[in-house]
Amino acid sequence: MPLIPEEPQIHESAQGPRATPASGRTAPTPRPVPGPRPAAPSRPGRPGPPRPAPPAQRTSRDAAPAAKPGPSAAPAADGPQIQLIPASVEGALDAAEETVDLLLDSGRTPGDVLVITTGEQHPWATHELSFGEASYWAQHDAADDVFYTDAQVADRAEARPVVVVAVNGGPESVTATALKAAHARAGSLLIVCGDPQRINSVLGAGV
């Protein structure tokens, strides 16, 4: 299965307006014009009481058309396209978060996306599980938002068009379990964030 690296996204910064002095009269020194405002952070803050948790605030961008991934060079008969985003164990979760932001910016709806972690749970999952598993899985069943889970319980998750895997720790057996579950549940696109050598060794052994 081919691995397609993710292309970086380039952000443009806006320029503030220029002050134009009035002609034909003497005016006091124009007021200084403020520069560009700092850009808003690409990801919401980590969740914490009170609810709702951050992913509940996510909405797709109506202005952008839905991104439809093209076929891979050698697609399987019924398998998803696979993309690899290189990241360290410590940075895999952040890479997955940025990937989710890009997916939503491209027009994907939040309910299209499932995120699976191999090591430490995503903070959203930890927060929501503190209210009980029934409430946590009810949000999964509603399928109207990004859902975060881990490899240990990923088999309970239903299929979604896009699955993102953050290889953020755990033994290789857990990584293999996560990739197998993700591959089975990804309708059109599987994105894996982590160490390329580790991921390729697991994928090479068969998902």
Side-chain angles (χ1 to χ4, degrees):
M1 283 173 286
L3 304 179
I4 305 174
E6 181 74 13
E7 296 183 358
Q9 183 177 9
I10 301 176
H11 299 274
E12 297 182 357
S13 59
Q15 294 183 350
R18 296 182 178 179
T20 304
S23 59
R25 59 179 180 175
T26 303
T29 304
R31 298 177 184 177
V33 179
R37 297 181 179 180
S42 60
R43 298 190 304 277
R46 295 301 187 193
R51 298 169 77 186
Q57 306 301 320
R58 298 184 174 196
T59 55
S60 58
R61 307 298 174 87
D62 295 334
K68 300 294 184 182
S72 56
D78 56 351
Q81 178 186 359
I82 301 176
Q83 293 183 358
L84 171 62
I85 298 179
S88 65
V89 171
E90 296 78 12
L93 198 56
D94 283 340
E97 280 285 87
E98 292 172 1
T99 298
V100 171
D101 287 336
L102 291 173
L103 288 167
L104 299 184
D105 287 345
S106 74
R108 288 284 184 182
T109 61
D112 280 352
V113 184
L114 170 68
V115 180
I116 301 173
T117 57
T118 65
E120 183 180 356
Q121 284 184 332
H122 187 278
W124 181 92
T126 302
H127 176 65
E128 291 302 322
L129 282 168
S130 69
F131 296 95
E133 287 200 9
S135 172
Y136 171 73
W137 287 105
Q139 295 186 63
H140 164 269
D141 295 339
D144 57 4
D145 205 350
V146 180
F147 189 76
Y148 297 82
T149 189
D150 62 51
Q152 305 296 335
V153 294
D155 285 343
R156 290 186 59 179
E158 298 291 336
R160 293 200 178 190
V162 183
V163 178
V164 180
V165 179
V167 184
N168 62 330
E172 288 200 3
S173 59
V174 174
T175 300
T177 297
L179 292 178
K180 182 177 180 180
H183 189 268
R185 283 155 181 76
S188 59
L189 181 60
L190 170 58
I191 303 175
V192 187
C193 305
D195 178 68
Q197 288 187 340
R198 182 177 184 182
I199 295 167
N200 278 321
S201 66
V202 174
L203 290 175
V207 176

